[in-house]
């Protein structure tokens, strides 16, 4: 059940009723005030926020033109990024962009073809890297890519 009306309160009431009264196994509510997301998540109500998504997308476009956000997981705790490989990483291994429990390269697009790399795969010029990063580690990851 997905509640995406213009009223945040209606969305939250709707998902609670769907979940508790009608035993709908999966519910999600759109919210406008992102400060409430953590409270709802603790109550078992997944939320999406146009505000958070929009702000993160704008920040990515304006601040890091070689990095773009493809999607996020959960309530934004993990982001999936697309990164144009910087010249200083050409010839380096995937392991150089991997931080245990913080980031993991999940794919590379090379000459228009995608593949899942190993830790020993080497980056080549013009590679596009798809990487998952824990949101709390984004700053550290960005320093690795663009010091």
């Amino acid at each position: 059940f997905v509640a995406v009306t213009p009223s945040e309160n209606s969305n939250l009431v709707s998902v609670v009723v769907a979940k508790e009264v009608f035993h709908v196994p999966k519910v999600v509510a759109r919210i406008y005030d992102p400060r409430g997301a953590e409270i709802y998540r603790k109550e078992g109500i997944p939320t999406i926020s146009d505000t958070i998504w929009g702000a993160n997308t704008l920040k990515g476009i304006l601040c890091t033109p070689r990095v773009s956000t493809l999607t996020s997981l959960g309530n934004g705790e993990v982001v999936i990024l697309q990164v144009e490989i910087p010249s200083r990483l050409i010839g380096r291994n995937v392991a150089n962009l991997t931080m245990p429990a913080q980031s993991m390269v999940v794919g590379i697009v090379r000459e228009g073809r995608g593949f899942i790399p190993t830790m020993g795969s080497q980056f080549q010029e013009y590679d596009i890297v798809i990487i998952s990063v824990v949101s709390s580690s984004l700053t550290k990851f960005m320093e690795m890519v663009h010091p």
Side-chain angles (χ1 to χ4, degrees):
F1 179 82
V2 179
V4 291
T5 73
S7 168
E8 184 169 314
N9 289 335
S10 294
N11 292 342
L12 293 169
V13 169
S14 297
V15 297
V16 169
V17 169
K19 185 176 179 178
E20 295 180 7
V21 175
F22 295 102
H23 308 290
V24 175
K26 290 188 178 188
V27 298
V28 65
R30 177 173 60 190
I31 60 172
Y32 297 95
D33 184 353
R35 294 175 292 184
E38 182 64 20
I39 295 166
Y40 304 128
R41 188 184 63 75
K42 286 181 180 177
E43 295 298 319
I45 301 171
T47 61
I48 57 169
S49 171
D50 299 350
T51 306
I52 293 172
W53 176 84
N56 286 338
T57 300
L58 286 171
K59 180 181 174 187
I61 291 168
L62 295 173
C63 299
T64 54
R66 298 182 134 220
V67 177
S68 59
T69 303
L70 297 177
T71 191
S72 63
L73 306 177
N75 287 307
E77 297 88 358
V78 174
V79 292
I80 309 298
L81 304 174
Q82 177 175 297
V83 180
E84 294 176 30
I85 202 68
S87 59
R88 66 178 199 73
L89 290 177
I90 294 169
R92 307 279 303 267
N93 292 341
V94 165
N96 292 116
L97 276 185
T98 302
M99 298 180 289
Q102 295 177 56
S103 70
M104 180 182 351
V105 175
V106 296
I108 295 176
V109 178
R110 181 175 293 152
E111 297 177 0
R113 297 185 58 112
F115 66 94
I116 297 173
T118 65
M119 288 296 219
S121 296
Q122 289 188 334
F123 296 120
Q124 294 181 12
E125 190 173 11
Y126 307 115
D127 277 355
I128 303 294
V129 178
I130 311 302
I131 187 164
S132 62
V133 181
V134 175
S135 295
S136 60
S137 299
L138 274 173
T139 301
K140 185 175 179 180
F141 171 76
M142 294 309 294
E143 290 169 356
M144 289 173 59
V145 175
H146 300 289

PDB file of all heavy atoms in Angstrom, residues 47-61:
ATOM      1  N   THR A  47       9.143   5.400   4.807  1.00  0.00           N
ATOM      2  CA  THR A  47       8.720   6.668   4.217  1.00  0.00           C
ATOM      3  C   THR A  47       9.625   7.053   3.059  1.00  0.00           C
ATOM      4  O   THR A  47      10.764   6.593   2.966  1.00  0.00           O
ATOM      5  CB  THR A  47       8.758   7.806   5.256  1.00  0.00           C
ATOM      6  OG1 THR A  47      10.095   7.960   5.724  1.00  0.00           O
ATOM      7  CG2 THR A  47       7.827   7.536   6.428  1.00  0.00           C
ATOM      8  N   ILE A  48       9.084   7.886   2.197  1.00  0.00           N
ATOM      9  CA  ILE A  48       9.886   8.536   1.169  1.00  0.00           C
ATOM     10  C   ILE A  48       9.645  10.034   1.315  1.00  0.00           C
ATOM     11  O   ILE A  48       8.573  10.458   1.728  1.00  0.00           O
ATOM     12  CB  ILE A  48       9.537   8.057  -0.259  1.00  0.00           C
ATOM     13  CG1 ILE A  48       8.048   8.297  -0.548  1.00  0.00           C
ATOM     14  CG2 ILE A  48       9.911   6.612  -0.452  1.00  0.00           C
ATOM     15  CD1 ILE A  48       7.683   8.112  -2.002  1.00  0.00           C
ATOM     16  N   SER A  49      10.659  10.801   0.986  1.00  0.00           N
ATOM     17  CA  SER A  49      10.546  12.247   1.111  1.00  0.00           C
ATOM     18  C   SER A  49      11.070  12.912  -0.151  1.00  0.00           C
ATOM     19  O   SER A  49      12.257  12.800  -0.466  1.00  0.00           O
ATOM     20  CB  SER A  49      11.331  12.743   2.329  1.00  0.00           C
ATOM     21  OG  SER A  49      11.387  14.148   2.340  1.00  0.00           O
ATOM     22  N   ASP A  50      10.181  13.591  -0.853  1.00  0.00           N
ATOM     23  CA  ASP A  50      10.592  14.346  -2.029  1.00  0.00           C
ATOM     24  C   ASP A  50      11.643  15.380  -1.648  1.00  0.00           C
ATOM     25  O   ASP A  50      12.539  15.681  -2.431  1.00  0.00           O
ATOM     26  CB  ASP A  50       9.395  15.076  -2.653  1.00  0.00           C
ATOM     27  CG  ASP A  50       8.306  14.121  -3.118  1.00  0.00           C
ATOM     28  OD1 ASP A  50       8.540  12.900  -3.132  1.00  0.00           O
ATOM     29  OD2 ASP A  50       7.220  14.611  -3.474  1.00  0.00           O
ATOM     30  N   THR A  51      11.525  15.915  -0.450  1.00  0.00           N
ATOM     31  CA  THR A  51      12.438  16.947   0.018  1.00  0.00           C
ATOM     32  C   THR A  51      13.862  16.413   0.103  1.00  0.00           C
ATOM     33  O   THR A  51      14.803  17.024  -0.405  1.00  0.00           O
ATOM     34  CB  THR A  51      11.998  17.467   1.399  1.00  0.00           C
ATOM     35  OG1 THR A  51      10.633  17.877   1.311  1.00  0.00           O
ATOM     36  CG2 THR A  51      12.849  18.615   1.858  1.00  0.00           C
ATOM     37  N   ILE A  52      14.044  15.258   0.741  1.00  0.00           N
ATOM     38  CA  ILE A  52      15.371  14.670   0.890  1.00  0.00           C
ATOM     39  C   ILE A  52      15.915  14.265  -0.478  1.00  0.00           C
ATOM     40  O   ILE A  52      17.067  14.554  -0.813  1.00  0.00           O
ATOM     41  CB  ILE A  52      15.331  13.450   1.830  1.00  0.00           C
ATOM     42  CG1 ILE A  52      15.006  13.898   3.257  1.00  0.00           C
ATOM     43  CG2 ILE A  52      16.656  12.687   1.803  1.00  0.00           C
ATOM     44  CD1 ILE A  52      14.753  12.755   4.208  1.00  0.00           C
ATOM     45  N   TRP A  53      15.090  13.583  -1.265  1.00  0.00           N
ATOM     46  CA  TRP A  53      15.535  13.141  -2.583  1.00  0.00           C
ATOM     47  C   TRP A  53      15.946  14.347  -3.433  1.00  0.00           C
ATOM     48  O   TRP A  53      17.000  14.342  -4.052  1.00  0.00           O
ATOM     49  CB  TRP A  53      14.427  12.351  -3.279  1.00  0.00           C
ATOM     50  CG  TRP A  53      14.806  11.965  -4.670  1.00  0.00           C
ATOM     51  CD1 TRP A  53      15.543  10.874  -5.040  1.00  0.00           C
ATOM     52  CD2 TRP A  53      14.519  12.684  -5.858  1.00  0.00           C
ATOM     53  NE1 TRP A  53      15.721  10.867  -6.391  1.00  0.00           N
ATOM     54  CE2 TRP A  53      15.101  11.970  -6.929  1.00  0.00           C
ATOM     55  CE3 TRP A  53      13.828  13.848  -6.150  1.00  0.00           C
ATOM     56  CZ2 TRP A  53      15.005  12.390  -8.246  1.00  0.00           C
ATOM     57  CZ3 TRP A  53      13.739  14.268  -7.459  1.00  0.00           C
ATOM     58  CH2 TRP A  53      14.319  13.544  -8.494  1.00  0.00           C
ATOM     59  N   GLY A  54      15.123  15.371  -3.462  1.00  0.00           N
ATOM     60  CA  GLY A  54      15.420  16.553  -4.264  1.00  0.00           C
ATOM     61  C   GLY A  54      16.685  17.260  -3.815  1.00  0.00           C
ATOM     62  O   GLY A  54      17.530  17.639  -4.628  1.00  0.00           O
ATOM     63  N   ALA A  55      16.836  17.416  -2.516  1.00  0.00           N
ATOM     64  CA  ALA A  55      18.028  18.089  -1.989  1.00  0.00           C
ATOM     65  C   ALA A  55      19.290  17.297  -2.306  1.00  0.00           C
ATOM     66  O   ALA A  55      20.308  17.868  -2.720  1.00  0.00           O
ATOM     67  CB  ALA A  55      17.894  18.287  -0.480  1.00  0.00           C
ATOM     68  N   ASN A  56      19.241  15.983  -2.131  1.00  0.00           N
ATOM     69  CA  ASN A  56      20.413  15.153  -2.433  1.00  0.00           C
ATOM     70  C   ASN A  56      20.748  15.166  -3.918  1.00  0.00           C
ATOM     71  O   ASN A  56      21.916  15.196  -4.306  1.00  0.00           O
ATOM     72  CB  ASN A  56      20.206  13.714  -1.958  1.00  0.00           C
ATOM     73  CG  ASN A  56      20.306  13.596  -0.459  1.00  0.00           C
ATOM     74  OD1 ASN A  56      20.892  14.430   0.212  1.00  0.00           O
ATOM     75  ND2 ASN A  56      19.707  12.554   0.088  1.00  0.00           N
ATOM     76  N   THR A  57      19.724  15.150  -4.761  1.00  0.00           N
ATOM     77  CA  THR A  57      19.949  15.187  -6.203  1.00  0.00           C
ATOM     78  C   THR A  57      20.571  16.516  -6.619  1.00  0.00           C
ATOM     79  O   THR A  57      21.548  16.550  -7.375  1.00  0.00           O
ATOM     80  CB  THR A  57      18.630  14.948  -6.965  1.00  0.00           C
ATOM     81  OG1 THR A  57      18.116  13.668  -6.586  1.00  0.00           O
ATOM     82  CG2 THR A  57      18.849  14.981  -8.472  1.00  0.00           C
ATOM     83  N   LEU A  58      20.034  17.624  -6.116  1.00  0.00           N
ATOM     84  CA  LEU A  58      20.591  18.937  -6.436  1.00  0.00           C
ATOM     85  C   LEU A  58      22.029  19.068  -5.952  1.00  0.00           C
ATOM     86  O   LEU A  58      22.895  19.568  -6.671  1.00  0.00           O
ATOM     87  CB  LEU A  58      19.742  20.043  -5.822  1.00  0.00           C
ATOM     88  CG  LEU A  58      18.409  20.316  -6.504  1.00  0.00           C
ATOM     89  CD1 LEU A  58      17.568  21.275  -5.673  1.00  0.00           C
ATOM     90  CD2 LEU A  58      18.639  20.869  -7.897  1.00  0.00           C
ATOM     91  N   LYS A  59      22.288  18.602  -4.748  1.00  0.00           N
ATOM     92  CA  LYS A  59      23.639  18.662  -4.198  1.00  0.00           C
ATOM     93  C   LYS A  59      24.605  17.881  -5.089  1.00  0.00           C
ATOM     94  O   LYS A  59      25.705  18.345  -5.392  1.00  0.00           O
ATOM     95  CB  LYS A  59      23.658  18.092  -2.783  1.00  0.00           C
ATOM     96  CG  LYS A  59      25.022  18.105  -2.139  1.00  0.00           C
ATOM     97  CD  LYS A  59      24.959  17.504  -0.741  1.00  0.00           C
ATOM     98  CE  LYS A  59      26.340  17.390  -0.146  1.00  0.00           C
ATOM     99  NZ  LYS A  59      26.315  16.667   1.127  1.00  0.00           N
ATOM    100  N   GLY A  60      24.181  16.702  -5.523  1.00  0.00           N
ATOM    101  CA  GLY A  60      25.039  15.892  -6.390  1.00  0.00           C
ATOM    102  C   GLY A  60      25.329  16.565  -7.712  1.00  0.00           C
ATOM    103  O   GLY A  60      26.458  16.574  -8.188  1.00  0.00           O
ATOM    104  N   ILE A  61      24.317  17.173  -8.308  1.00  0.00           N
ATOM    105  CA  ILE A  61      24.496  17.828  -9.601  1.00  0.00           C
ATOM    106  C   ILE A  61      25.388  19.054  -9.481  1.00  0.00           C
ATOM    107  O   ILE A  61      26.285  19.268 -10.290  1.00  0.00           O
ATOM    108  CB  ILE A  61      23.130  18.212 -10.205  1.00  0.00           C
ATOM    109  CG1 ILE A  61      22.362  16.942 -10.607  1.00  0.00           C
ATOM    110  CG2 ILE A  61      23.291  19.131 -11.412  1.00  0.00           C
ATOM    111  CD1 ILE A  61      20.906  17.191 -10.953  1.00  0.00           C
TER     112      ILE A  61
END
